[in-house]
Amino acid sequence: MWRRERVIGSAGGRLCKILKLLMRSIPVMVIIGYFALLNLAFRNYIVDNPIEEQSGEKYLEREENRFTDMFQTEGDYIEQKFIPQKAGLRMLGIRLAINHAGLTDDFQLLIELRREGKVIQSKQITWEEIDNWRYYEFELEEEPEAGEEYYLRIRQLVGPKWENQDKYRISYVMFLAEEHVPENNSYYVYNGKKSDGEFELYYVYRYDDDKLLRCQKAVNIVFILAAIMMPVLKRFIKISNQGKGRIKAMLYAMLPILGFLTAEITAGNLWTMNLVSIIKNLLVCYLAMLLLNLFIKRLGLLALLYMTGCGVLGLVQYFVLQFRGSAFVIQDIFAWRTAATVADRYVYEITPPLFLTLMTALYIICIYQQVGKMMFSIRTRGNMLLGIACAMGFVGICSGGFLISPHLMNVWDLAASYRRDGIILTMASEVQFLVGDKPMSYSVDAVRGIMDETLSSPTEKRKNVTKAENLIVIMNESFSDLENIGGVATETTLLPWLHSVDENVIKGWLSVPVFGGGTANTEYEALTGNTMAFLSGGSPYQTNVAEGESGLASTLKRQGFYALAAHPYMADNWNRRTVYLDMDFDLFLSEENWGEMELMRWCESDSAAYSKIIEQYEEQEGNFFTFLVTMQNHGGYAEEYEDFQNTVELDYETDYPEAEQYLSLLQESDKAFRDLTEYFSQVEEPTMLVMFGDHLATLENGFYEELFGKPLEDLDFRETQMRYITPFVIWTNYDIEEEYDVIMSTNYLGSYILNAAGLEMTPYQQFLYHLWEKIPVVNVRGIMADDGNWYEWHEIPERYAEGLEEYKVLQYNNVYDRKNRVEGLFATGEEG
């Protein structure tokens, strides 16, 4: 018995030792994981920012041009030998001319890269892919070896021939270079015979920056050696218990400062913050660490969690700002599922300064791992918390108010708040917006009074309006008309249909709540009539929509419409699966039940999405309502796609490839909507189509600065509004009174559509229509009144204050006081 207990006890002891070893190894594994991720992200930066050198010049204008022999028969070829001078050759620029006055579609040219008589790479191109007298860029799939001989052979595969002869009547020819290029052989070969001259070529070398690679290796070596040396030094250097205590106390006191520096340097805010903001942030950091210390006693683990949290905060803010063009807000946490679905569409890279910052933070974590427990009694920790709270109150009062205050935040440009006040303080200030502020004049009786007043002055209906039996509303992803900001330097007409259509249309401009992302906020305003200006911020699809949500869908359902929601992507994006059910849609078509998709880049094309809507319309009987959220124009625009070629070329001194891809996508959207109107023009039932953009796209800042003619930071309040303006168009297959340059914010759009379609509105929607006539734009930044002037919220004239206060009261009842919601305010009198 004794022996059995001894064996069991021995096994239990071994198990405890193994568990302790695993627990101690977790921080090491986490550090190794951080180390690997940092190096991978920095490697992405090196790969995406190569050094590019060109050998040979582009000559588009010469006093005299010389050409090679022409292709005459199918077997003719022209060949140039070249020798790469160094590693990294990625592209050859080949200057071609077409010896003709016109071409037919059957021309084909073959370009081959050869070595030792074997074809390494070849590409067939048509005349449409060649810009006459300019350079064709031949991208190399594999990097040629430096110093080795290669041959560039060109053949014409197909071409029209002389009658009764085998010779080509029209042919491609090569330019001959005036200046020798080091890679070129001094002669070319025509059908196996040498001819004087060399092709006019230029060579582009791309290779990783050796300085950055050496920097990465040096930092890694120093980090690894230092990490190895720390436990060795700890073992052999003897320090008294008193000295150890002082070191622990110093490290403990420094941890919030180190975390603060990590977060703000990573996000890029430290150099733009003022001294008062820095002090406030440090106080919040100390408070957060002390609260965490209530549960974690070991200083090494405390440092690991705290520094990780600060680093993640900085990185999230950095990447969100890079990808979305707007700051991360605390409500975005609720949208993590949506962020996860598109996260793999972006490239995560960190700059050299960021790499050094985060590696330093990682080394600091390693230092703290060498320290044991930091023992403080509950009383001591309570005293420290009390001291920090007092300090926060003192600093808050001395700086003109509370430490965390709503007045700290620039709600329409949170990125500016982050730059001025830092991540930690700004996010702490955002917490207050998770719950809506109750209007001073709010009561259920006040809500009923506003409803009665609205019903006593019903909305004036349009004269001789045909009642729409089909209503298709399309929120087009990132759709915009940038010529509204300024002239776009291109010879291409960007939106020919939208600009030219003038029959049975209403066209205008929408003030939307977001820029570059946050699609669901625009969608929420359009479908519900509520404005983001009176909400807490972030995404209402995550926090403010509930069962029985009133809006466009429920209003139309009561009038006998079948309600379809459609979005050719994941159903859980922005919580749409739940939201559309709450809004009373009959069916939600998403990626899961869409069927086969026709992709443009990586998204369903507008044309294919419209075909799906037509298919659904043809299957339904009776009145048909659709709300479609497209995906075609979704960012990012930096990646090139084989199945999509840009149709827009910009003419600026600086290249803007993202803008060119985006503008090319807009042309496809314009064509697709034109085709949709052509289909419904043949439909007998009165049909209304509505299309609007949810926000402008995140493109190169330089491109937007070209449009505005000034740096973005120099835009005044009115100019800033232009970054939040998208077009809308209402088209019908029956006669309506045309209107142009109508302007409104998205929250009015639903009411406006119902009135234009001759359909019934709820009292709430009628109230909004009346308010639109007086205050056409209400957004998070301010308002635009009927006098055409823009006003920030702190300077709104008194004559508009009453209408806005009533709007706040009604929306608060609709969103935040659902148990006392006045249902008659949000429902029509009709029931389908």
Side-chain angles (χ1 to χ4, degrees):
M1 187 73 174
W2 172 81
R3 185 173 181 179
R4 184 180 176 186
E5 288 177 354
R6 185 177 179 182
V7 170
I8 293 173
S10 176
R14 286 195 296 270
L15 180 61
C16 288
K17 288 181 179 179
I18 292 172
L19 290 174
K20 287 181 180 179
L21 183 62
L22 287 174
M23 291 298 293
R24 289 177 181 176
S25 65
I26 287 176
V28 176
M29 290 187 289
V30 171
I31 290 171
I32 292 172
Y34 288 169
F35 178 80
L37 287 174
L38 283 176
N39 277 278
L40 179 62
F42 188 53
R43 180 63 182 171
N44 284 342
Y45 175 84
I46 295 173
V47 170
D48 289 342
N49 295 273
I51 293 176
E52 186 171 293
E53 293 181 1
Q54 182 173 307
S55 177
E57 300 292 334
K58 286 185 179 181
Y59 297 100
L60 297 180
E61 295 183 7
R62 292 186 184 276
E63 293 183 1
E64 184 177 350
N65 290 293
R66 298 186 302 121
F67 302 98
T68 64
D69 298 277
M70 291 192 301
F71 299 106
Q72 295 190 32
T73 64
E74 188 174 322
D76 290 349
Y77 70 90
I78 302 178
E79 190 173 76
Q80 169 77 60
K81 183 171 78 172
F82 68 92
I83 300 174
Q85 299 297 293
K86 52 188 172 184
L89 181 61
R90 297 297 184 186
M91 191 262 286
L92 281 68
I94 311 164
R95 195 178 183 199
L96 294 167
I98 305 173
N99 183 34
H100 75 103
L103 279 177
T104 57
D105 293 339
D106 54 355
F107 272 79
Q108 290 184 16
L109 193 70
L110 179 69
I111 300 178
E112 294 178 337
L113 179 65
R114 303 170 69 92
R115 182 183 180 187
E116 297 178 350
K118 296 181 179 179
V119 177
I120 299 175
Q121 179 184 340
S122 65
K123 182 167 179 69
Q124 294 184 24
I125 56 178
T126 66
W127 66 272
E128 294 175 324
E129 299 175 73
I130 295 177
D131 194 353
N132 191 23
W133 282 57
R134 294 182 180 270
Y135 290 85
Y136 177 79
E137 295 182 345
F138 184 61
E139 294 282 350
L140 302 181
E141 296 172 355
E142 297 182 7
E143 178 185 326
E145 296 180 24
E148 298 295 323
E149 293 183 353
Y150 292 86
Y151 297 85
L152 185 69
R153 177 177 290 190
I154 300 178
R155 287 193 294 130
Q156 183 169 290
L157 295 178
V158 179
K161 302 175 181 178
W162 290 98
E163 292 182 6
N164 303 321
Q165 294 189 30
D166 290 335
K167 291 186 176 182
Y168 289 146
R169 176 165 54 88
I170 303 173
S171 179
Y172 297 106
V173 293
M174 295 287 298
F175 282 84
L176 291 175
E178 296 292 332
E179 294 81 13
H180 176 65
V181 179
E183 287 80 358
N184 280 354
N185 202 14
S186 58
Y187 62 86
Y188 71 92
V189 173
Y190 174 68
N191 291 337
K193 297 180 180 179
K194 294 181 180 180
S195 298
D196 292 335
E198 58 189 77
F199 290 0
E200 189 169 303
L201 298 170
Y202 67 86
Y203 301 82
V204 176
Y205 296 86
R206 300 190 192 103
Y207 48 88
D208 294 339
D209 191 333
D210 288 338
K211 292 182 181 179
L212 292 180
L213 289 172
R214 287 195 295 270
C215 172
Q216 185 180 24
K217 289 179 181 178
V219 170
N220 287 336
I221 290 171
V222 170
F223 176 85
I224 293 170
L225 290 176
I228 293 173
M229 287 299 295
M230 277 189 296
V232 175
L233 292 174
K234 178 184 176 182
R235 183 169 185 176
F236 288 101
I237 296 177
K238 302 299 181 181
I239 302 174
S240 66
N241 289 335
Q242 187 178 13
K244 289 179 180 179
R246 289 174 179 173
I247 291 173
K248 287 181 179 181
M250 180 188 67
L251 291 175
Y252 186 82
M254 287 183 61
L255 183 56
I257 299 174
L258 295 172
F260 162 74
L261 292 174
T262 299
E264 301 302 348
I265 293 175
T266 301
N269 300 327
L270 185 65
W271 321 118
T272 57
M273 295 171 62
N274 57 48
L275 180 60
V276 174
S277 293
I278 290 174
I279 294 172
K280 289 182 176 181
N281 274 274
L282 286 173
L283 289 172
V284 176
C285 287
Y286 273 101
L287 180 66
M289 188 202 71
L290 287 169
L291 290 172
L292 189 60
N293 189 215
L294 291 176
F295 307 97
I296 299 172
K297 294 181 179 180
R298 193 172 185 86
L299 189 55
L301 182 57
L302 181 67
L304 176 63
L305 294 177
Y306 189 78
M307 293 293 289
T308 297
C310 291
V312 168
L313 277 179
L315 283 174
V316 167
Q317 190 59 247
Y318 173 79
F319 283 124
V320 168
L321 200 56
Q322 290 288 317
F323 298 152
R324 194 172 70 184
S326 58
F328 174 84
V329 294
I330 199 168
Q331 289 89 344
D332 287 337
I333 295 171
F334 298 108
W336 66 270
R337 288 186 179 87
T338 296
T341 62
V342 296
D344 61 346
R345 300 295 176 185
Y346 299 97
V347 177
Y348 298 89
E349 58 183 37
I350 58 175
T351 60
L354 201 54
F355 179 67
L356 293 174
T357 299
L358 294 173
M359 286 296 287
T360 302
L362 190 58
Y363 183 65
I364 289 169
I365 292 175
C366 291
I367 293 174
Y368 276 82
Q369 297 307 305
Q370 307 306 312
V371 182
K373 292 183 180 179
M374 190 69 199
M375 299 298 293
F376 290 111
S377 66
I378 294 293
R379 182 177 179 179
T380 302
R381 280 176 277 178
N383 288 336
M384 287 191 290
L385 277 170
L386 181 61
I388 288 296
C390 292
M392 293 174 71
F394 176 76
V395 171
I397 293 171
C398 291
S399 60
F402 295 107
L403 183 73
I404 298 172
S405 166
H407 304 297
L408 279 173
M409 297 177 60
N410 185 343
V411 293
W412 59 272
D413 188 4
L414 275 175
S417 289
Y418 280 102
R419 289 191 297 270
R420 183 193 64 208
D421 300 315
I423 297 174
I424 297 164
L425 186 63
T426 303
M427 289 191 69
S429 299
E430 286 178 47
V431 173
Q432 67 202 296
F433 293 111
L434 292 176
V435 179
D437 290 331
K438 191 174 184 178
M440 294 290 291
S441 60
Y442 179 77
S443 70
V444 175
D445 287 340
V447 173
R448 294 186 186 279
I450 298 169
M451 181 179 72
D452 292 341
E453 184 180 347
T454 300
L455 292 175
S456 66
S457 54
T459 304
E460 183 179 346
K461 294 187 177 181
R462 295 166 181 261
K463 297 178 180 179
N464 302 319
V465 171
T466 301
K467 197 172 185 178
E469 297 178 17
N470 300 312
L471 177 58
I472 297 173
V473 180
I474 299 162
M475 188 172 75
N476 196 299
E477 170 66 39
S478 300
F479 187 77
S480 66
D481 185 354
L482 296 181
E483 290 177 303
N484 183 46
I485 297 176
V488 180
T490 179
E491 296 180 359
T492 307
T493 303
L494 298 178
L495 300 171
W497 183 87
L498 183 64
H499 288 168
S500 64
V501 63
D502 57 5
E503 291 186 12
N504 298 327
V505 292
I506 300 171
K507 295 194 290 186
W509 306 96
L510 279 181
S511 173
V512 297
V514 289
F515 173 87
T519 296
N521 292 13
T522 304
E523 183 177 344
Y524 174 79
E525 287 196 343
L527 286 174
T528 66
N530 300 325
T531 174
M532 292 298 301
F534 303 150
L535 294 181
S536 56
S539 169
Y541 270 21
Q542 310 294 335
T543 56
N544 297 118
V545 175
E547 185 179 357
E549 191 72 29
S550 66
L552 198 56
S554 61
T555 300
L556 291 168
K557 282 288 293 294
R558 291 178 68 88
Q559 297 176 64
F561 279 78
Y562 175 84
L564 168 70
H567 177 53
Y569 204 53
M570 298 182 184
D572 288 327
N573 258 28
W574 294 116
N575 200 30
R576 285 190 178 97
R577 188 198 304 272
T578 301
V579 165
Y580 288 150
L581 185 64
D582 291 338
M583 288 183 172
D584 204 22
F585 279 96
D586 291 296
L587 175 67
F588 174 29
L589 284 179
S590 68
E591 186 178 71
E592 297 173 0
N593 56 349
W594 191 275
E596 187 176 351
M597 290 193 174
E598 297 178 21
L599 302 184
M600 181 176 292
R601 303 184 305 150
W602 60 276
C603 306
E604 173 87 332
S605 68
D606 282 1
S607 179
Y610 298 162
S611 295
K612 175 62 68 172
I613 298 307
I614 292 172
E615 174 188 308
Q616 291 293 308
Y617 157 74
E618 292 176 345
E619 291 178 0
Q620 296 299 326
E621 296 181 1
N623 295 355
F624 181 69
F625 165 57
T626 294
F627 185 78
L628 166 67
V629 181
T630 69
M631 279 292 291
Q632 175 189 288
N633 304 331
H634 198 288
Y637 312 102
E639 187 175 344
E640 295 182 359
Y641 298 85
E642 292 184 0
D643 66 341
F644 183 76
Q645 300 296 322
N646 290 349
T647 55
V648 175
E649 183 176 345
L650 297 175
D651 186 16
Y652 296 104
E653 292 184 3
T654 304
D655 291 334
Y656 299 112
E658 293 184 29
E660 288 184 336
Q661 184 179 115
Y662 169 69
L663 293 171
S664 301
L665 289 167
L666 291 186
Q667 286 191 326
E668 296 299 321
S669 292
D670 188 70
K671 293 176 187 175
F673 193 71
R674 177 202 64 194
D675 294 342
L676 186 65
T677 61
E678 289 178 355
Y679 170 85
F680 278 101
S681 66
Q682 307 301 315
V683 169
E684 293 182 1
E685 301 100 333
T687 300
M688 174 179 286
L689 307 183
V690 182
M691 183 178 71
F692 65 97
D694 57 347
H695 55 70
L696 273 67
T698 301
L699 306 171
E700 299 94 340
N701 282 343
F703 173 67
Y704 279 115
E705 290 175 344
E706 300 272 13
L707 298 182
F708 282 107
K710 62 172 69 174
L712 295 181
E713 56 265 26
D714 292 342
L715 299 181
D716 60 28
F717 179 69
R718 186 185 183 96
E719 289 168 329
T720 300
Q721 302 302 312
M722 302 306 294
R723 301 191 75 191
Y724 297 87
I725 298 292
T726 67
F728 80 87
V729 56
I730 298 174
W731 174 93
T732 60
N733 65 352
Y734 54 87
D735 290 336
I736 61 169
E737 183 180 349
E738 290 86 5
E739 294 184 55
Y740 309 99
D741 292 323
V742 178
I743 186 165
M744 69 183 73
S745 46
T746 330
N747 54 298
Y748 295 123
L749 183 61
S751 299
Y752 190 90
I753 290 171
L754 291 170
N755 183 261
L759 298 167
E760 294 297 318
M761 291 188 281
T762 68
Y764 184 49
Q765 289 161 342
Q766 291 182 49
F767 170 85
L768 292 175
Y769 194 88
H770 290 314
L771 189 64
W772 165 71
E773 294 174 326
K774 188 175 182 181
I775 309 175
V777 171
V778 177
N779 61 37
V780 295
R781 299 164 293 280
I783 69 168
M784 191 196 81
D786 53 3
D787 59 6
N789 293 321
W790 289 90
Y791 300 98
E792 296 185 60
W793 280 106
H794 63 83
E795 60 179 13
I796 293 175
E798 186 65 29
R799 62 184 180 276
Y800 302 115
E802 182 181 355
L804 292 169
E805 182 64 19
E806 290 179 343
Y807 191 4
K808 286 182 184 178
V809 167
L810 296 185
Q811 181 165 309
Y812 188 87
N813 182 256
N814 189 20
V815 177
Y816 294 113
D817 193 17
R818 290 179 183 271
K819 64 180 181 180
N820 296 312
R821 189 162 69 171
V822 180
E823 296 298 337
L825 180 63
F826 307 103
T828 62
E830 294 188 20
E831 183 93 46

